[in-house]
Amino acid sequence: MRFDIDSYTEVLDTITRNKTRSLLTGFGVFWGLFMLLFMMGFGDGIKSVLSENFAGFASNTCITVSRNTTMPYKGLKEGRYWRQQVGDLERLRAMVPELDVSTPVVSVYSSSATFGELSADCSVKGLDPQYAQIETPSIKYGRYLNKVDMEYKRKVCVIGKKVYEDLFPDGDDPCGNFIKIGPVYYQIIGVDFNQGNISINGSADRTVAIPFPLAQQLYNRGDVIDLICMTGKPGTTMSTLEPTIREVMARGHSFDPADKDAMMLINTEQIFMLVDNIFKGVSILIWLIGLGTLLAGAIGVSNIMMVTVKERTIEIGIRRAIGATPKDILTQIMAESIALTLVSGMFSIIFSVMILSVGGILVSAAFDTSVSLQISFGLAVGATFLLIALGLLAGLAPALRAMGIKPVDAMRDE
């Protein structure tokens, strides 16, 4: 077999052309993995932001709100308005044993709290200590309402984060100070930094929580309450309790249990399930798109390696002639394939982290919130092993073809 300087130059040119093609093919792997990691990181970041909106709120909560009836019942005309009362709490506790917590809420909207010359918009809520199991407070200073506050109708309050920031801009501990709402002074016993955006008759950060019995007395509410908030015992699905809750309330206030418009029943369990299902669907879609793009890149790697093997027939034949075994050829081709996918993937991971970091800063600035867009360490490690597996698969067919090349084939091509 003749192998002169011209043949050597031809082999070098072939390798150079293959490198160019490899770069182009590696871009397919790079882009596919980038799409997968970017969408996963972005989706997890948005999910974390939404989760913060639901932070501290019980996922198995049911809230009842009284409304006008729309059906006649036992001689009573439609259009009648009824009000929830304290007695409904005892009735629900006795007749729906699956309930874990049932607590009242009394609200006074569009109030203003003042401390010295400073003021803050707020909503006053009369709450029971059990309400902490519905909307878990994040106490920064002091404590939450307790049973002693209820029993003695103490004029104490727990203020929300924005109320605290407006009235105490220096950031000092406000506990022990008195704020004025209307004609009444309340002593601050706690500051709630709950950042959840689920609003029950007013957002948590603009709430001034006072003892429920005190709110009944000060605002002349009697036994009337605005909302009843309930949670089920562990393992209980609130959706299964809805008919029973409607039946109990309808019997106590003489409206048709089938009149669903007579009482609005908000089931947060369904809201949480809906959000969770949406994110599961988005995650599946992201994986399908990302893996599809990544697989297309791997197929491109396999194709370019096939072309590489064909154009390097002379080189491979020479190596076989001077003693290279089929295992040596297999190892070379497989190593080139893995290296191509792995290097492309590493650049893709680094680029994804950089883009997500910049994206998190831009999104945070645009929406005035803290958004962390990043990929987890586990996802990065998993992506690396996925790249190695794709490199093996992409190089398998070209390697088997290269193993079948014989020196005589190289001579014939020459």
Side-chain angles (χ1 to χ4, degrees):
M1 181 179 63
R2 181 175 58 84
F3 184 69
D4 54 18
I5 189 66
D6 293 334
S7 299
Y8 182 71
T9 304
E10 182 180 350
V11 171
L12 289 178
D13 291 340
T14 300
I15 295 174
T16 303
R17 289 197 302 271
N18 290 334
K19 286 184 177 179
T20 304
R21 293 171 183 170
S22 298
L23 289 174
L24 294 175
T25 306
F27 180 76
V29 177
F30 170 89
W31 181 252
L33 186 60
F34 169 73
M35 289 290 292
L36 176 61
L37 296 178
F38 176 78
M39 289 189 293
M40 288 294 294
F42 193 84
D44 289 344
I46 299 301
K47 184 177 181 179
S48 66
V49 172
L50 291 179
S51 297
E52 289 179 1
N53 291 333
F54 300 141
F57 201 88
S59 60
N60 62 336
T61 301
C62 193
I63 304 169
T64 59
V65 184
S66 58
R67 303 174 68 181
N68 291 333
T69 62
T70 59
M71 300 171 60
Y73 184 72
K74 292 184 178 180
L76 299 173
K77 295 183 179 181
E78 69 274 13
R80 177 175 56 91
Y81 185 75
W82 60 280
R83 295 180 180 274
Q84 298 181 112
Q85 298 177 339
V86 176
D88 295 327
L89 293 169
E90 297 300 327
R91 192 178 298 112
L92 287 168
R93 291 166 184 166
M95 303 186 70
V96 190
E98 296 86 354
L99 292 179
D100 184 29
V101 173
S102 55
T103 182
V105 177
V106 170
S107 302
V108 180
Y109 305 101
S110 301
S111 298
S112 179
T114 59
F115 177 72
E117 296 181 355
L118 300 175
S119 64
D121 295 332
C122 66
S123 60
V124 180
K125 291 183 184 178
L127 303 176
D128 187 272
Q130 282 191 321
Y131 186 79
Q133 299 182 51
I134 302 293
E135 194 172 4
T136 305
S138 177
I139 300 299
K140 177 69 173 179
Y141 298 107
R143 62 173 177 85
Y144 197 64
L145 302 171
N146 60 30
K147 292 183 178 180
V148 178
D149 299 327
M150 304 295 122
E151 182 177 354
Y152 291 98
K153 299 180 182 178
R154 290 176 171 173
K155 292 182 180 179
V156 295
C157 67
V158 177
I159 62 176
K161 181 180 179 181
K162 289 186 178 179
V163 176
Y164 163 73
E165 291 174 345
D166 290 346
L167 297 182
F168 301 91
D170 294 335
D172 298 330
D173 184 351
C175 294
N177 291 302
F178 288 83
I179 61 173
K180 183 180 180 183
I181 302 177
V184 183
Y185 285 89
Y186 300 90
Q187 185 179 30
I188 300 174
I189 60 170
V191 180
D192 181 10
F193 266 41
N194 183 6
Q195 291 296 293
N197 287 332
I198 293 183
S199 176
I200 299 182
N201 280 15
S203 60
D205 53 11
R206 283 291 179 188
T207 291
V208 175
I210 65 175
F212 172 70
L214 177 65
Q216 288 179 291
Q217 183 181 55
L218 291 179
Y219 296 102
N220 196 27
R221 301 300 295 269
D223 288 337
V224 175
I225 56 181
D226 296 326
L227 305 175
I228 297 178
C229 301
M230 298 162 278
T231 62
K233 293 180 178 178
T236 301
T237 303
M238 294 304 293
S239 299
T240 61
L241 300 183
E242 288 187 17
T244 306
I245 293 172
R246 287 188 180 276
E247 179 69 31
V248 171
M249 296 297 287
R251 188 182 308 170
H253 295 278
S254 299
F255 65 85
D256 195 331
D259 187 1
K260 296 186 180 299
D261 291 331
M263 183 182 71
M264 182 169 63
L265 202 153
I266 304 171
N267 188 349
T268 61
E269 185 180 64
Q270 296 177 346
I271 299 175
F272 278 89
M273 288 179 61
L274 176 62
V275 173
D276 188 54
N277 289 335
I278 290 174
F279 275 105
K280 284 181 179 178
V282 171
S283 296
I284 292 174
L285 181 62
I286 288 173
W287 276 103
L288 289 176
I289 295 174
L291 290 178
T293 309
L294 198 56
L295 183 59
I299 292 174
V301 171
S302 181
N303 290 336
I304 197 63
M305 292 303 297
M306 290 290 285
V307 175
T308 299
V309 169
K310 183 177 180 180
E311 294 187 350
R312 293 168 63 183
T313 300
I314 300 174
E315 176 194 348
I316 295 172
I318 293 172
R319 293 192 61 195
R320 290 294 306 276
I322 61 177
T325 64
K327 183 179 179 181
D328 295 331
I329 303 300
L330 175 66
T331 302
Q332 177 188 358
I333 301 301
M334 295 293 285
E336 290 180 7
S337 177
I338 293 174
L340 179 59
T341 55
L342 200 55
V343 170
S344 301
M346 291 300 100
F347 278 108
S348 181
I349 293 174
I350 295 172
F351 186 68
S352 299
V353 172
M354 293 174 58
I355 294 298
L356 286 172
S357 299
V358 174
I361 296 174
L362 295 177
V363 173
S364 299
F367 294 96
D368 193 22
T369 184
S370 177
V371 180
S372 177
L373 303 181
Q374 59 184 357
I375 59 175
S376 65
F377 178 76
L379 181 60
V381 172
T384 302
F385 282 106
L386 179 61
L387 289 170
I388 294 174
L390 288 175
L392 288 171
L393 292 175
L396 184 59
L400 293 176
R401 180 172 179 177
M403 288 174 60
I405 296 177
K406 300 178 181 179
V408 66
D409 296 326
M411 295 174 62
R412 184 179 299 113
D413 287 345
E414 175 61 18

